[in-house]
Amino acid sequence: MTAVDDRLADWLRADFGLVLVAAEPVPYGADDAAQLWRATTADGAQWAVKLSGGGTPAGLLVTAHLAGQGVPGIAAPLTTRDGRLCGVHEGRRLSVVPWLSADRALAGGMTAAHWHAYGEVLAATHDVAPTDELAALLPREDHTHAAVGAATRATDRRLRAVGDAADRWTREVAARWRAAADDVSTLLDRVGRLGAQLRDQPAELVVCHGDPHLGNLLLEPDGRVWLIDWDDAVLAPRERDLMFVRGGVLAFAPVTPADQAAFFAGYGPMDPDPLRLAYHLGVRALDDIWSWARDVADPDRPEAARVRALAIVDGLLSPVGLVSLAREALRDLGRWD
């Protein structure tokens, strides 16, 4: 094993009593603060081992609680020798869950049965009452987005100032940003107004995954699904999760009316609030566009990563991308013009 794996092996043995014999890095996800391995232990068992510095540790408590309540599609974390849900090393959380199906929903293969099961998982999650401990630890949706707004404005200032001396990829993303700047500015303004309105309209807060897009969904051949990566778990209105189904957030994986019908057949009767859907779509669009644009303009990143980030920016700005979806949701509400 490599030096990194040797260190990982020491941590797994000390924390969980697991004897590591192999650890394969898994290059999924966009979280720079996390590392994931497919680990094999001496008894032949396979585990998903994650070292994460992002999100909140409450995500581990959520999955343990949901699995304990019988919610389908949730993998409970393995506890440490002294009963904790994770170890802590170098300021990051080390967690272990059983290795699940390697079939990612993003790779295709989502059937009507999978969409139905996906609806059942989110419905059961939203119906489970949080413990007092979870209620105290989980972030609460308050319909403010100061950090996203500040980052968007800072990115706007930076990319508008890009000149000819910048490297190719910074110039490329700056050109995209300038072309979309009016829409981004309008979106920032309209989402801010909508958030102010929603703060005066309290809604029931439920346990939400916070980021249940298809990249966090694993598929079993029999139609079952697993919802993974709960680092962004939050107490929020149901629309915080349901906006990922109403139109999807990934330009290359739009959600069709048939997909939605199968999902809501599993989820059950629900008429999402279009104001809250539009708000969450808008905040997510702003968060994605500034962060991926930043990655493109970061000269310290590998060129391949910058090229991939630019493709994602292009997807966000495409007619089926999240910026366009958020704009159309606001337009449907009469909040754009």
Side-chain angles (χ1 to χ4, degrees):
M1 292 187 288
T2 67
V4 172
D5 291 344
D6 287 341
R7 187 174 54 181
L8 184 67
D10 291 341
W11 293 342
L12 288 173
R13 183 182 295 107
D15 289 345
F16 298 95
L18 297 176
V19 179
L20 184 68
V21 296
E24 175 187 356
V26 180
Y28 295 160
D31 184 359
D32 290 338
Q35 291 176 273
L36 179 66
W37 294 268
R38 181 175 183 170
T40 303
T41 48
D43 58 0
Q46 292 196 321
W47 306 91
V49 177
K50 185 174 184 180
L51 191 62
S52 177
T56 164
L60 294 169
L61 287 171
V62 168
T63 52
H65 179 57
L66 294 178
Q69 294 295 308
V71 174
I74 308 296
L78 185 68
T79 55
T80 64
R81 286 175 161 179
D82 57 359
R84 293 173 293 124
L85 293 175
C86 65
V88 178
H89 300 278
E90 299 178 352
R92 295 193 286 177
R93 299 181 301 278
L94 181 69
S95 59
V96 178
V97 299
W99 181 263
L100 304 170
S101 167
D103 294 331
R104 303 180 71 219
L106 275 186
M110 276 283 282
T111 65
H114 288 125
W115 280 104
H116 190 280
Y118 179 27
E120 290 179 327
V121 169
L122 277 187
T125 295
H126 294 166
D127 286 343
V128 169
T131 63
D132 290 342
E133 183 181 19
L134 277 178
L137 287 175
L138 281 174
R140 289 175 176 262
E141 175 61 61
D142 60 3
H143 297 97
T144 63
H145 50 278
V148 172
T152 303
R153 286 186 285 270
T155 302
D156 182 71
R157 290 191 296 270
R158 179 188 173 193
L159 294 182
R160 284 179 184 270
V162 167
D164 293 340
D167 66 81
R168 174 187 173 183
W169 302 116
T170 300
R171 295 197 311 273
E172 291 272 6
V173 76
R176 265 73 155 186
W177 186 278
R178 290 170 186 142
D182 287 346
D183 273 359
V184 172
S185 177
T186 301
L187 183 59
L188 187 58
D189 174 74
R190 300 303 187 269
V191 168
R193 297 184 190 186
L194 197 51
Q197 178 179 344
L198 291 173
R199 289 195 291 276
D200 292 330
Q201 299 176 9
E204 178 191 15
L205 301 184
V206 301
V207 175
C208 286
H209 180 281
D211 196 27
H213 58 71
L214 298 189
N216 287 327
L217 202 65
L218 301 179
L219 310 179
E220 295 282 6
D222 61 3
R224 290 179 299 151
V225 302
W226 296 96
L227 186 57
I228 62 171
D229 196 353
W230 288 76
D231 286 347
D232 294 315
V234 60
L235 289 176
R238 294 168 188 255
E239 287 83 0
R240 175 72 178 262
D241 280 349
L242 294 180
M243 70 102 170
F244 287 85
V245 177
R246 272 306 191 186
V249 301
L250 304 172
F252 54 88
V255 180
T256 69
D259 297 336
Q260 291 179 23
F263 173 90
F264 281 102
Y267 188 89
M270 170 64 182
D271 187 17
D273 183 345
L275 292 178
R276 296 186 193 280
L277 287 174
Y279 174 79
H280 291 302
L281 278 169
V283 171
R284 179 61 182 241
L286 292 168
D287 200 18
D288 278 5
I289 194 65
W290 84 257
S291 58
W292 287 110
R294 171 206 59 191
D295 288 355
V296 180
D298 183 354
D300 293 328
R301 287 182 173 271
E303 184 175 30
R306 300 177 76 186
V307 171
R308 174 176 176 267
L310 183 61
I312 292 173
V313 168
D314 285 338
L316 289 166
L317 298 175
S318 74
V320 294
L322 190 51
V323 172
S324 299
L325 290 175
R327 181 183 62 235
E328 293 310 309
L330 288 162
R331 182 167 285 146
D332 288 345
L333 293 170
R335 302 298 181 98
W336 189 262
D337 298 324

